[in-house]
Amino acid sequence: MPTVHQPLNLPQDAPYGTVELDLSACTMCQSCVWLCPTDALSIGEHKCELVFVESHCIQCGMCQSICPEDALKLRPRIDPQPSADTQQILHQVEPFKCTSCGVPFVAKSMMDRLLARIWGRKGVQASEDVQELIPLCHSCQIQKQQGGNTKRAPMMIKPRQVSRQPL
Ligand code: SF4
Ligand code: SF4
């Protein structure tokens, strides 16, 4: 191997490399993240950032094959620079805030799509109760299902009384 300071392109099917993302196509659906076997792809803050670590990527192609928008391409190479070991933000989108507490919890583009499909009755059907839960974060969904009672979930097990016997 010659001394390499810049990324060196490798032949197709080499097990090292990066991914290239078509920003205009990516909807932040996160399918690639859940399938990536090495956690080279992950989700950043508020589930609105797609993060990548090049040195973790084995170019298996699973992210590319699952992507419904055909937004990912593999690029085999070796990058000797320290940046290959650090998290790179591939994509960052506007967050959607919980309509109850205001905490950002999902990509706005994803929520807009889902709500449009439900209201337009295009392939997704949901009862009125479920529709009310969709724009809520996980905590607010649980609270709403409990009728606003935040003190105790109905399925929670009562703590056991421990009787202390004298020694
Ligand atoms: S790259 Fe594809 S699979 Fe990954 S988040 Fe974007 S649209 Fe979804
Ligand atoms: S090619 Fe494989 S290892 Fe690399 S980011 Fe995609 S799923 Fe992860």
Side-chain angles (χ1 to χ4, degrees), residues 36-152:
C36 178
T38 62
D39 289 341
L41 286 166
S42 60
I43 282 294
E45 207 177 354
H46 306 320
K47 299 188 177 168
C48 295
E49 288 175 354
L50 188 59
V51 179
F52 179 69
V53 180
E54 179 165 343
S55 61
H56 293 180
C57 179
I58 55 173
Q59 296 283 289
C60 67
M62 292 171 83
C63 55
Q64 189 181 31
S65 61
I66 195 71
C67 178
E69 311 298 338
D70 202 17
L72 282 164
K73 296 266 179 295
L74 303 184
R75 188 165 156 220
R77 68 177 191 178
I78 283 187
D79 187 352
Q81 302 171 100
S83 57
D85 281 325
T86 58
Q87 291 192 330
Q88 312 288 327
I89 296 175
L90 292 183
H91 196 18
Q92 203 167 23
V93 295
E94 185 184 351
F96 180 89
K97 294 179 180 167
C98 171
T99 52
S100 177
C101 68
V103 167
F105 71 101
V106 71
K108 186 172 179 302
S109 54
M110 278 297 292
M111 183 58 77
D112 288 348
R113 261 180 163 214
L114 180 60
L115 293 176
R117 289 184 72 180
I118 290 172
W119 290 333
R121 301 192 187 284
K122 292 178 184 165
V124 181
Q125 290 189 348
S127 66
E128 281 190 15
D129 287 350
V130 172
Q131 286 185 36
E132 284 181 14
L133 292 175
I134 287 172
L136 303 181
C137 68
H138 191 57
S139 303
C140 291
Q141 283 185 351
I142 292 173
Q143 282 186 28
K144 189 162 181 65
Q145 285 174 316
Q146 291 171 5
N149 178 8
T150 56
K151 287 184 182 164
R152 175 182 285 279

